Amino acid sequence: MGSKKKKPPPPTSVAGIKGAALALHRGRRLEAGRDVMAASICPACSEPCVEPRLLPCLHSLCTPCLRNLETVGEPNRANTALRALCPLCDAEIALPPGGLGQLVPDYTALGRGGAAGTTGCDLCADGAAAKRCQSCGVRLCLFCCQAHRRQKKTASHVVVELESSRDCSQAGKPFFCPSHPSEELGLFCEQCDQPMCQDCVAERHRQHPYDFTSNAVHRHGDSLRELLRSTQQCMSTLEDVLGQTDSVGNAIRTRAEAVATEINAFARGYVKAIEEHRDRLLKQLEDLKVQKENLLHLQKAQLQQLLLDMRTGVEFTERLLTSGSDLGILVTKGVVTSRLAKLNSAAYSTHPNVDDSIQFSPQERAGQCHGYEVFGAVICKAVDPTKCTLHGEDLRSARQNELTGFTLLCNDTTGERMGRGGEAVMVTITHKDKKDCAVKPTVCDNGDGTYHISYSPEEPGLYAVCVYVKGQHVQGSPFIVMVKSKFRKHRGMFHCCTFCSSGGQKAARCACGGTMPGGYQGCGHGHKGHPGCPHWSCCGQVKRSSECLSGFPSDRSQRSLLRTVEL
């Protein structure tokens, strides 16, 4: 369309109504528009909506609620758009630069308000609206409907029942310009992408391309319908996903209830098994206590009887020696001597036969009870230091500044392995000649009745090693350890002969003075003192991994006979 056109005439359906009917009709319509705006309910404040505006999130709010929007961001900064939160969906929305007035009016809310709040006739306001003129968009009572059909200009208008007519927000009910309330929004500005009235064309939208709304709605309606179909498909997908989530949620709740039942059943069974295991442990503990007490009572009775017999013999002997005659002493000497000798040779233990070694080990496996694995055992075994033994390859020898060690195996009174740790083990290692020279050992509890003792002596010589368990020497303690000097490495060559070690040089000489057959100065096998096999040239040792003996003064002549030239 041209940039400047003559104002198009308003729709003939409205322009054709003249006289009092037209005035009444337009006045009623403007009034109804205001009533609709007041009758529509705002979803935020639940009050009658005044000039509802549409937010970018497609929620409609009345003007007072829009003024109370909670803004976010930094509105005072340059080039920063003012943003707010929708009170219905908490979506962050950008407000127009021109303020709240630039928000699009919500005509659908106005239509809903009109349909819900205005039920009277738009022409006479006396009767109840029963029909609607699809050309004018007015609601008519039965009387005005007949008058509407009698008028020449409106006789051809189609009047339908109000129940079957479209909502007032649809086409058929005109909308009026917010800037020019008396003008209908019958045009659409393509450049500004908004509807406008005839006065808007002459003012703000001059030279803008525009068209009738009936023509523009087809173009824009198609793209909107396409977006609508895409959104509806997304809605269908979301509904399916929500249905699936509901199904999964129901399945989760059902499964959780089933698992909770299993857990409760398991817990009840486990508790029953633990209680039965507890009762069994308490019974075992009671039997052990009675057994130990009985052994103590028996030992006590035997010791009391022996003590009584000794007291009787001592009293009789003392009385005999103090008040008896010489002849009486000599006569009864044999009986007294025999009795006292028998009492003195009576076997008895100098310690109680049992001890208080009763422990509970909660980590020890105790088998199964009603199909459940249970833990915890009553342990009555006590370590016997005299039955503990020492083991290790380096038990009697060590090397200076080298880490070495041995193992302590703890046994009970029957010689059976304890099978658990926690014993009080103490080890001392002292030099035999240097009393101030001691080695600090490290004791590692393996937790199975064995203990590894490691140490690194700094001085060579003889060391006394004492191993104590519960303050008593173990079997084989104390013992002597011979600490040798540091390992002496060979400084020569491990070879076969001078000729071989020199790489076949004929001028190589041997320390022994012998020569090889053929005139070579270097000697070969067979001369006196030659080992006849590969050996170290520095000391004559025939083992490659042996210790060098060249540092010792003894056998110097023998080693010099074996030593060959180093090249």
Side-chain angles (χ1 to χ4, degrees):
M1 301 182 63
S3 59
K4 185 175 182 181
K5 294 182 62 176
K6 190 176 182 179
K7 289 186 181 181
T12 57
S13 59
V14 177
I17 303 177
K18 296 180 180 180
L22 176 60
L24 179 62
H25 172 61
R26 292 198 81 149
R28 293 290 184 183
R29 212 157 16 164
L30 292 175
E31 250 180 59
R34 291 200 231 19
D35 293 340
V36 163
M37 296 175 70
S40 180
I41 302 301
C42 176
C45 61
S46 300
E47 297 292 336
C49 197
V50 178
E51 296 183 2
R53 300 281 177 169
L54 192 63
L55 297 176
C57 60
L58 300 185
H59 284 126
S60 178
L61 299 178
C62 63
T63 300
C65 290
L66 289 173
R67 296 194 186 100
N68 296 329
L69 282 180
E70 179 182 358
T71 58
V72 295
E74 302 180 22
N76 295 329
R77 290 183 57 185
N79 300 326
T80 302
L82 184 63
R83 309 185 72 83
L85 294 177
C86 175
L88 301 180
C89 64
D90 289 333
E92 186 175 335
I93 55 177
L95 298 179
L100 300 176
Q102 296 297 320
L103 290 173
V104 178
D106 186 5
Y107 294 106
T108 58
L110 295 176
R112 288 195 302 269
T118 305
T119 58
C121 178
D122 289 339
L123 296 182
C124 66
D126 294 332
K131 296 185 179 183
R132 181 190 301 276
C133 176
Q134 289 189 338
S135 301
C136 301
V138 295
R139 288 168 297 190
L140 305 170
C141 63
L142 295 178
F143 178 79
C144 291
C145 182
Q146 294 176 0
H148 201 67
R149 289 176 178 174
R150 292 193 188 100
Q151 293 185 24
K152 185 182 297 184
K153 295 295 184 180
T154 59
S156 60
H157 289 186
V158 179
V159 179
V160 296
E161 296 292 334
L162 187 62
E163 291 77 6
S164 62
S165 63
R166 304 175 67 188
D167 188 80
C168 63
S169 64
Q170 304 296 325
K173 180 175 179 59
F175 294 104
F176 295 92
C177 180
S179 302
H180 311 93
S182 62
E183 296 294 332
E184 295 182 9
L185 295 173
L187 303 174
F188 185 81
C189 179
E190 297 289 351
Q191 180 174 332
C192 300
D193 194 29
Q194 66 179 29
M196 59 183 179
C197 67
Q198 298 176 15
D199 294 343
C200 292
V201 174
E203 295 177 359
R204 296 191 304 271
H205 302 273
R206 183 175 299 175
Q207 297 183 355
H208 288 185
Y210 63 92
D211 198 355
F212 288 100
T213 55
S214 59
N215 298 332
V217 73
H218 295 294
R219 296 192 304 272
H220 296 281
D222 292 340
S223 61
L224 190 60
R225 292 186 189 90
E226 184 64 27
L227 284 175
L228 177 61
R229 282 192 293 268
S230 177
T231 306
Q232 288 173 340
Q233 292 177 357
C234 293
M235 287 178 57
S236 178
T237 303
L238 290 176
E239 289 174 353
D240 293 340
V241 174
L242 287 174
Q244 294 176 11
T245 56
D246 291 340
S247 300
V248 173
N250 294 332
I252 290 174
R253 286 188 291 273
T254 303
R255 186 58 188 155
E257 292 175 358
V259 172
T261 303
E262 295 178 5
I263 292 174
N264 290 329
F266 171 82
R268 285 193 297 269
Y270 209 168
V271 170
K272 183 178 180 182
I274 292 175
E275 290 177 347
E276 184 171 331
H277 181 56
R278 175 203 61 194
D279 297 339
R280 188 166 56 190
L281 289 175
L282 293 176
K283 178 65 168 55
Q284 182 181 353
L285 177 62
E286 181 65 22
D287 294 342
L288 181 60
K289 183 193 72 170
V290 172
Q291 179 184 0
K292 286 180 174 288
E293 288 178 344
N294 290 339
L295 291 175
L296 283 177
H297 288 324
L298 177 60
Q299 183 184 15
K300 183 178 180 180
Q302 292 173 348
L303 293 176
Q304 287 176 344
Q305 183 61 45
L306 181 60
L307 179 61
L308 179 61
D309 293 342
M310 287 184 176
R311 185 176 288 114
T312 301
V314 168
E315 291 176 354
F316 180 82
T317 304
E318 289 177 346
R319 191 167 57 250
L320 175 64
L321 293 175
T322 55
S323 60
S325 62
D326 295 341
L327 183 59
I329 293 175
L330 295 175
V331 170
T332 58
K333 177 186 72 68
V335 178
V336 174
T337 302
S338 176
R339 179 58 176 171
L340 293 180
K342 183 178 180 181
L343 292 175
N344 290 336
S345 62
Y348 60 92
S349 175
T350 58
H351 301 283
N353 290 338
V354 295
D355 53 21
D356 60 348
S357 59
I358 302 177
Q359 296 180 358
F360 176 68
S361 177
Q363 292 82 15
E364 188 166 342
R365 297 178 180 271
Q368 290 192 347
C369 182
H370 294 293
Y372 296 91
E373 187 175 6
V374 292
F375 294 82
V378 176
I379 300 174
C380 60
K381 294 186 351 178
V383 64
D384 187 351
T386 61
K387 299 295 177 62
C388 298
T389 56
L390 300 171
H391 305 272
E393 296 181 358
D394 300 330
L395 190 60
R396 301 294 178 179
S397 63
R399 185 73 68 173
Q400 182 183 5
N401 293 331
E402 289 187 8
L403 185 65
T404 185
F406 55 91
T407 301
L408 168 65
L409 177 60
C410 290
N411 300 319
D412 61 4
T413 54
T414 63
E416 184 180 355
R417 183 172 169 176
M418 290 296 296
R420 56 181 176 84
E423 302 296 341
V425 178
M426 185 178 67
V427 181
T428 61
I429 304 176
T430 56
H431 201 285
K432 294 283 289 182
D433 299 327
K434 302 177 181 179
K435 300 301 180 183
D436 57 342
C437 180
V439 179
K440 185 177 180 180
T442 301
V443 180
C444 178
D445 187 350
N446 297 325
D448 57 355
T450 62
Y451 301 81
H452 184 71
I453 295 93
S454 58
Y455 63 98
S456 178
E458 297 180 355
E459 297 288 339
L462 297 177
Y463 285 80
V465 181
C466 299
V467 181
Y468 304 91
V469 173
K470 292 185 176 180
Q472 300 182 38
H473 281 285
V474 300
Q475 187 180 137
S477 175
F479 60 92
I480 303 299
V481 173
M482 176 62 185
V483 178
K484 300 179 181 179
S485 300
K486 291 191 295 185
F487 186 84
R488 298 177 181 271
K489 295 183 179 180
H490 295 281
R491 294 174 294 176
M493 302 174 62
F494 190 74
H495 58 177
C496 186
C497 65
T498 305
F499 182 72
C500 298
S501 63
S502 66
Q505 297 182 12
K506 297 180 180 181
R509 291 183 176 274
C510 181
C512 64
T515 59
M516 289 182 63
Y520 297 152
Q521 295 180 10
C523 66
H525 298 291
H527 67 79
K528 184 178 179 180
H530 196 286
C533 61
H535 59 277
W536 286 101
S537 63
C538 53
C539 65
Q541 290 288 324
V542 296
K543 289 184 178 181
R544 180 182 288 273
S545 59
S546 62
E547 183 180 8
C548 183
L549 303 177
S550 61
F552 295 96
S554 60
D555 293 339
R556 181 173 299 174
S557 60
Q558 181 69 14
R559 289 195 302 276
S560 64
L561 181 63
L562 298 176
R563 188 179 298 113
T564 55
V565 178
E566 291 187 55
L567 299 176

